[in-house]
Amino acid sequence: MTALINPTVKKSYQPFTSPAFKGLKCLGGSSVLISKDAQQVIDRLSPSGKASVNNQMSCITKSNVGSVGSHKLYIELTDGLLELKVIKQKKLNQLQIESARELKGLRKPWTGSRISLTQQWSIANNGYTYDELYYSNPVYSYPEEALDRFLLRVAPEFHRMTDKGGVTIGADVHAGAEYVSAIYVTKGPVNQYALIIETQGLPLLSVATRPAPQGFATKYNMVNGARAKETIHTHGEKRWRKKVRKDTELFIKVFANDQRHESELMARYHAPFERSTSRIPLTAKGDSNNFSSEDLKAYGWLVTEDRTLLFQKADKNTVTTKGRF
């Protein structure tokens, strides 16, 4: 027997009215009802926001709401997201938009598509060429998605890129290398996380200098009275070995984006480098299934070769398995 919308509930719904068209059929051709409260949220959008609704509602496919029950869909606005809670009725080619809310400053979440790395830059100074840097476009969590769930969703992509046989985006990309990202989080009341996955001869410096996406801030933790960035990374299958000149100031200036970052890097790296020999071999390679001693100095996550997501809290010296994939 075909399930029907309860008549008492139906009174609070009306045919979906797009800002431009009456009775628009969208979401893969299904007829759509919308609650009056949700319609009012859409009606209050800016002109550009209403245009985004017009452009995107009709393009959302049935795959987004293929199963019976409740689903969350996201439409990109100029300065944030429109979140729609949509209910699919059993055996009816009909959808109900139950609620809508505008989320300022948030970005469209990553849904599991492959992450591509792209070449960013190559820098040469005084005849010495620094490794090229490869990074992904920012990858965003769902609004209010727990951090461990988000990182577990992204972990297979870290694993794929780290696998020496799994990277096919160019001979210059170091398959099997270490991949890493600082963890970024929104500054507003609704949490959303972001990653910029990258690799480089010195991932540590890369994470130290990468600016946060607009509207986001780097996630810090207090460790032994000092702030330390929280990161996620792999250990890879290849050894990174790079000889760094004793002229550490020049090296740091290459990777620093602004004066604040430069000061931070000088404080952390300059003195240890200057006390060493004239050219310093650095190796970024560790046990692919365990944190290194350096890792244990700050909170962080590790995607292991045996497909496990680990988390460690530096101040408590504990390692926790957060999931397997």
Side-chain angles (χ1 to χ4, degrees):
M1 183 174 178
T2 302
L4 298 174
I5 299 173
N6 187 315
T8 59
V9 176
K10 190 173 181 179
K11 289 181 182 178
S12 64
Y13 287 80
Q14 61 193 44
F16 174 74
T17 305
S18 122
F21 304 103
K22 298 286 185 180
L24 175 71
K25 285 197 177 221
C26 53
L27 297 163
S30 300
S31 60
V32 180
L33 299 177
I34 185 170
S35 71
K36 291 182 179 179
D37 289 343
Q39 183 66 61
Q40 288 175 359
V41 171
I42 293 175
D43 289 341
R44 289 196 296 266
L45 293 175
S46 66
S48 62
K50 291 177 181 178
S52 294
V53 174
N54 280 334
N55 292 336
Q56 295 179 60
M57 280 293 287
S58 60
C59 298
I60 298 175
T61 65
K62 286 183 180 178
S63 62
N64 292 97
V65 285
S67 58
V68 172
S70 178
H71 306 265
K72 283 186 178 179
L73 304 177
Y74 295 93
I75 290 176
E76 290 181 285
L77 306 175
T78 304
D79 57 352
L81 295 176
L82 178 67
E83 180 186 80
L84 301 176
K85 184 177 179 181
V86 178
I87 296 176
K88 181 176 176 63
Q89 293 291 324
K90 187 176 182 181
K91 295 183 179 179
L92 285 180
N93 191 30
Q94 187 178 74
L95 301 163
Q96 293 172 213
I97 301 177
E98 185 180 53
S99 63
R101 63 172 177 164
E102 188 176 0
L103 302 173
K104 295 283 189 179
L106 271 62
R107 299 292 179 263
K108 195 166 184 178
W110 178 73
T111 57
S113 56
R114 280 201 160 189
I115 295 170
S116 295
L117 294 169
T118 55
Q119 182 176 325
Q120 173 68 346
W121 66 66
S122 177
I123 301 174
N125 275 290
N126 298 329
Y128 186 79
T129 302
Y130 296 93
D131 285 349
E132 292 166 304
L133 174 64
Y134 295 85
Y135 77 106
S136 70
N137 291 325
V139 179
Y140 300 101
S141 73
Y142 286 95
E144 298 171 337
E145 182 178 21
L147 178 58
D148 56 351
R149 288 197 173 194
F150 171 50
L151 297 182
L152 193 57
R153 285 201 301 115
V154 179
E157 283 297 293
F158 273 94
H159 190 273
R160 176 185 69 85
M161 290 185 289
T162 299
D163 180 5
K164 64 183 178 181
V167 178
T168 58
I169 57 175
D172 291 333
V173 177
H174 298 278
E178 178 172 342
Y179 285 83
V180 65
S181 175
I183 296 171
Y184 307 101
V185 63
T186 47
K187 303 174 184 178
V190 178
N191 267 3
Q192 185 178 35
Y193 296 100
L195 304 175
I196 303 176
I197 302 172
E198 52 195 307
T199 187
Q200 174 189 46
L202 290 171
L204 184 63
L205 283 177
S206 177
V207 168
T209 59
R210 170 66 56 196
Q214 185 176 2
F216 287 71
T218 305
K219 189 175 186 299
Y220 284 94
N221 296 291
M222 295 300 294
V223 180
N224 298 323
R227 291 200 317 160
K229 293 183 178 183
E230 189 170 327
T231 64
I232 178 172
H233 70 290
T234 67
H235 278 151
E237 299 175 5
K238 285 186 177 179
R239 287 183 177 271
W240 286 104
R241 192 164 181 83
K242 182 177 181 62
K243 288 188 175 179
V244 181
R245 288 185 171 184
K246 189 175 178 180
D247 187 2
T248 317
E249 290 188 30
L250 171 62
F251 183 80
I252 287 176
K253 286 178 185 296
V254 170
F255 290 101
N257 296 322
D258 53 43
Q259 189 171 359
R260 181 179 63 82
H261 282 136
E262 184 176 322
S263 299
E264 178 184 344
L265 292 176
M266 288 292 183
R268 291 181 62 185
Y269 300 109
H270 187 271
F273 279 28
E274 290 299 294
R275 287 196 298 268
S276 301
T277 57
S278 60
R279 293 182 71 84
I280 309 164
L282 299 177
T283 301
K285 166 66 179 176
D287 183 341
S288 59
N289 291 320
N290 292 288
F291 290 101
S292 68
S293 57
E294 285 297 311
D295 295 336
L296 294 173
K297 294 179 180 179
Y299 284 50
W301 304 75
L302 178 69
V303 178
T304 70
E305 187 177 3
D306 63 4
R307 306 184 71 89
T308 301
L309 178 66
L310 300 178
F311 173 66
Q312 63 85 15
K313 300 179 73 170
D315 55 347
K316 297 181 180 178
N317 198 29
T318 58
V319 176
T320 307
T321 297
K322 288 295 185 177
R324 292 181 171 85
F325 54 93

PDB file of all heavy atoms in Angstrom, residues 159 288-290 302-310 323-325:
ATOM      1  N   HIS A 159      45.824   7.207   2.207  1.00  0.00           N
ATOM      2  CA  HIS A 159      46.422   5.896   1.952  1.00  0.00           C
ATOM      3  C   HIS A 159      46.672   5.699   0.456  1.00  0.00           C
ATOM      4  O   HIS A 159      47.727   5.192   0.048  1.00  0.00           O
ATOM      5  CB  HIS A 159      45.484   4.810   2.491  1.00  0.00           C
ATOM      6  CG  HIS A 159      46.077   3.438   2.504  1.00  0.00           C
ATOM      7  ND1 HIS A 159      46.012   2.588   1.413  1.00  0.00           N
ATOM      8  CD2 HIS A 159      46.749   2.763   3.463  1.00  0.00           C
ATOM      9  CE1 HIS A 159      46.609   1.460   1.709  1.00  0.00           C
ATOM     10  NE2 HIS A 159      47.067   1.529   2.945  1.00  0.00           N
ATOM     11  N   SER A 288      55.795   2.988   9.245  1.00  0.00           N
ATOM     12  CA  SER A 288      54.559   3.363   8.546  1.00  0.00           C
ATOM     13  C   SER A 288      53.310   3.081   9.356  1.00  0.00           C
ATOM     14  O   SER A 288      52.236   3.572   9.026  1.00  0.00           O
ATOM     15  CB  SER A 288      54.471   2.623   7.210  1.00  0.00           C
ATOM     16  OG  SER A 288      54.503   1.223   7.416  1.00  0.00           O
ATOM     17  N   ASN A 289      53.425   2.318  10.446  1.00  0.00           N
ATOM     18  CA  ASN A 289      52.254   1.970  11.248  1.00  0.00           C
ATOM     19  C   ASN A 289      52.295   2.529  12.667  1.00  0.00           C
ATOM     20  O   ASN A 289      51.434   2.199  13.483  1.00  0.00           O
ATOM     21  CB  ASN A 289      52.096   0.441  11.312  1.00  0.00           C
ATOM     22  CG  ASN A 289      51.711  -0.148   9.962  1.00  0.00           C
ATOM     23  OD1 ASN A 289      50.908   0.423   9.231  1.00  0.00           O
ATOM     24  ND2 ASN A 289      52.305  -1.275   9.613  1.00  0.00           N
ATOM     25  N   ASN A 290      53.266   3.403  12.953  1.00  0.00           N
ATOM     26  CA  ASN A 290      53.395   3.953  14.309  1.00  0.00           C
ATOM     27  C   ASN A 290      53.872   5.392  14.261  1.00  0.00           C
ATOM     28  O   ASN A 290      54.561   5.810  13.326  1.00  0.00           O
ATOM     29  CB  ASN A 290      54.378   3.122  15.139  1.00  0.00           C
ATOM     30  CG  ASN A 290      53.863   1.735  15.446  1.00  0.00           C
ATOM     31  OD1 ASN A 290      52.951   1.572  16.252  1.00  0.00           O
ATOM     32  ND2 ASN A 290      54.428   0.730  14.789  1.00  0.00           N
ATOM     33  N   LEU A 302      47.525   9.694  12.539  1.00  0.00           N
ATOM     34  CA  LEU A 302      48.359   8.973  11.590  1.00  0.00           C
ATOM     35  C   LEU A 302      47.499   7.985  10.805  1.00  0.00           C
ATOM     36  O   LEU A 302      46.750   7.198  11.402  1.00  0.00           O
ATOM     37  CB  LEU A 302      49.479   8.219  12.312  1.00  0.00           C
ATOM     38  CG  LEU A 302      50.405   7.375  11.434  1.00  0.00           C
ATOM     39  CD1 LEU A 302      51.275   8.278  10.559  1.00  0.00           C
ATOM     40  CD2 LEU A 302      51.277   6.458  12.292  1.00  0.00           C
ATOM     41  N   VAL A 303      47.605   8.053   9.465  1.00  0.00           N
ATOM     42  CA  VAL A 303      46.975   7.056   8.594  1.00  0.00           C
ATOM     43  C   VAL A 303      48.040   6.013   8.300  1.00  0.00           C
ATOM     44  O   VAL A 303      49.053   6.322   7.676  1.00  0.00           O
ATOM     45  CB  VAL A 303      46.465   7.697   7.292  1.00  0.00           C
ATOM     46  CG1 VAL A 303      45.860   6.637   6.379  1.00  0.00           C
ATOM     47  CG2 VAL A 303      45.432   8.781   7.606  1.00  0.00           C
ATOM     48  N   THR A 304      47.850   4.794   8.763  1.00  0.00           N
ATOM     49  CA  THR A 304      48.902   3.785   8.683  1.00  0.00           C
ATOM     50  C   THR A 304      48.827   2.987   7.398  1.00  0.00           C
ATOM     51  O   THR A 304      47.812   2.973   6.702  1.00  0.00           O
ATOM     52  CB  THR A 304      48.807   2.811   9.872  1.00  0.00           C
ATOM     53  OG1 THR A 304      47.627   1.999   9.708  1.00  0.00           O
ATOM     54  CG2 THR A 304      48.749   3.550  11.190  1.00  0.00           C
ATOM     55  N   GLU A 305      49.922   2.291   7.132  1.00  0.00           N
ATOM     56  CA  GLU A 305      49.987   1.448   5.948  1.00  0.00           C
ATOM     57  C   GLU A 305      48.984   0.296   6.031  1.00  0.00           C
ATOM     58  O   GLU A 305      48.470  -0.168   5.017  1.00  0.00           O
ATOM     59  CB  GLU A 305      51.407   0.907   5.787  1.00  0.00           C
ATOM     60  CG  GLU A 305      51.636   0.144   4.490  1.00  0.00           C
ATOM     61  CD  GLU A 305      53.074  -0.300   4.348  1.00  0.00           C
ATOM     62  OE1 GLU A 305      53.881  -0.067   5.285  1.00  0.00           O
ATOM     63  OE2 GLU A 305      53.404  -0.885   3.307  1.00  0.00           O
ATOM     64  N   ASP A 306      48.680  -0.170   7.263  1.00  0.00           N
ATOM     65  CA  ASP A 306      47.730  -1.271   7.408  1.00  0.00           C
ATOM     66  C   ASP A 306      46.283  -0.780   7.559  1.00  0.00           C
ATOM     67  O   ASP A 306      45.440  -1.453   8.136  1.00  0.00           O
ATOM     68  CB  ASP A 306      48.109  -2.198   8.563  1.00  0.00           C
ATOM     69  CG  ASP A 306      48.089  -1.484   9.922  1.00  0.00           C
ATOM     70  OD1 ASP A 306      47.710  -0.290   9.966  1.00  0.00           O
ATOM     71  OD2 ASP A 306      48.436  -2.120  10.926  1.00  0.00           O
ATOM     72  N   ARG A 307      46.016   0.440   7.039  1.00  0.00           N
ATOM     73  CA  ARG A 307      44.659   0.988   6.900  1.00  0.00           C
ATOM     74  C   ARG A 307      43.977   1.207   8.250  1.00  0.00           C
ATOM     75  O   ARG A 307      42.831   0.802   8.481  1.00  0.00           O
ATOM     76  CB  ARG A 307      43.807   0.093   6.000  1.00  0.00           C
ATOM     77  CG  ARG A 307      44.418  -0.185   4.639  1.00  0.00           C
ATOM     78  CD  ARG A 307      43.516  -0.997   3.753  1.00  0.00           C
ATOM     79  NE  ARG A 307      42.375  -0.192   3.309  1.00  0.00           N
ATOM     80  CZ  ARG A 307      42.384   0.568   2.208  1.00  0.00           C
ATOM     81  NH1 ARG A 307      43.469   0.615   1.444  1.00  0.00           N
ATOM     82  NH2 ARG A 307      41.331   1.265   1.876  1.00  0.00           N
ATOM     83  N   THR A 308      44.676   1.888   9.138  1.00  0.00           N
ATOM     84  CA  THR A 308      44.148   2.230  10.453  1.00  0.00           C
ATOM     85  C   THR A 308      44.354   3.725  10.688  1.00  0.00           C
ATOM     86  O   THR A 308      45.355   4.292  10.253  1.00  0.00           O
ATOM     87  CB  THR A 308      44.873   1.429  11.554  1.00  0.00           C
ATOM     88  OG1 THR A 308      44.704   0.037  11.300  1.00  0.00           O
ATOM     89  CG2 THR A 308      44.311   1.739  12.930  1.00  0.00           C
ATOM     90  N   LEU A 309      43.399   4.354  11.369  1.00  0.00           N
ATOM     91  CA  LEU A 309      43.539   5.756  11.767  1.00  0.00           C
ATOM     92  C   LEU A 309      43.852   5.785  13.256  1.00  0.00           C
ATOM     93  O   LEU A 309      43.063   5.312  14.080  1.00  0.00           O
ATOM     94  CB  LEU A 309      42.255   6.533  11.482  1.00  0.00           C
ATOM     95  CG  LEU A 309      42.264   8.003  11.904  1.00  0.00           C
ATOM     96  CD1 LEU A 309      43.271   8.802  11.078  1.00  0.00           C
ATOM     97  CD2 LEU A 309      40.869   8.624  11.761  1.00  0.00           C
ATOM     98  N   LEU A 310      45.023   6.335  13.593  1.00  0.00           N
ATOM     99  CA  LEU A 310      45.465   6.438  14.982  1.00  0.00           C
ATOM    100  C   LEU A 310      45.446   7.895  15.435  1.00  0.00           C
ATOM    101  O   LEU A 310      45.660   8.812  14.640  1.00  0.00           O
ATOM    102  CB  LEU A 310      46.891   5.896  15.136  1.00  0.00           C
ATOM    103  CG  LEU A 310      47.144   4.433  14.749  1.00  0.00           C
ATOM    104  CD1 LEU A 310      48.622   4.104  14.921  1.00  0.00           C
ATOM    105  CD2 LEU A 310      46.279   3.491  15.573  1.00  0.00           C
ATOM    106  N   GLY A 323      39.717   3.938  14.195  1.00  0.00           N
ATOM    107  CA  GLY A 323      38.929   3.208  13.215  1.00  0.00           C
ATOM    108  C   GLY A 323      39.820   2.563  12.170  1.00  0.00           C
ATOM    109  O   GLY A 323      41.016   2.896  12.054  1.00  0.00           O
ATOM    110  N   ARG A 324      39.237   1.630  11.421  1.00  0.00           N
ATOM    111  CA  ARG A 324      39.937   0.974  10.314  1.00  0.00           C
ATOM    112  C   ARG A 324      39.101   1.134   9.054  1.00  0.00           C
ATOM    113  O   ARG A 324      37.883   1.249   9.120  1.00  0.00           O
ATOM    114  CB  ARG A 324      40.182  -0.500  10.642  1.00  0.00           C
ATOM    115  CG  ARG A 324      41.182  -0.684  11.779  1.00  0.00           C
ATOM    116  CD  ARG A 324      41.450  -2.145  12.103  1.00  0.00           C
ATOM    117  NE  ARG A 324      42.576  -2.275  13.049  1.00  0.00           N
ATOM    118  CZ  ARG A 324      42.437  -2.183  14.369  1.00  0.00           C
ATOM    119  NH1 ARG A 324      41.238  -2.006  14.891  1.00  0.00           N
ATOM    120  NH2 ARG A 324      43.502  -2.299  15.151  1.00  0.00           N
ATOM    121  N   PHE A 325      39.760   1.128   7.934  1.00  0.00           N
ATOM    122  CA  PHE A 325      39.046   1.360   6.675  1.00  0.00           C
ATOM    123  C   PHE A 325      39.502   0.382   5.615  1.00  0.00           C
ATOM    124  O   PHE A 325      40.528  -0.296   5.797  1.00  0.00           O
ATOM    125  CB  PHE A 325      39.252   2.802   6.194  1.00  0.00           C
ATOM    126  CG  PHE A 325      40.687   3.215   6.068  1.00  0.00           C
ATOM    127  CD1 PHE A 325      41.345   3.096   4.862  1.00  0.00           C
ATOM    128  CD2 PHE A 325      41.397   3.716   7.162  1.00  0.00           C
ATOM    129  CE1 PHE A 325      42.678   3.478   4.721  1.00  0.00           C
ATOM    130  CE2 PHE A 325      42.729   4.089   7.040  1.00  0.00           C
ATOM    131  CZ  PHE A 325      43.361   3.973   5.824  1.00  0.00           C
TER     132      PHE A 325
END
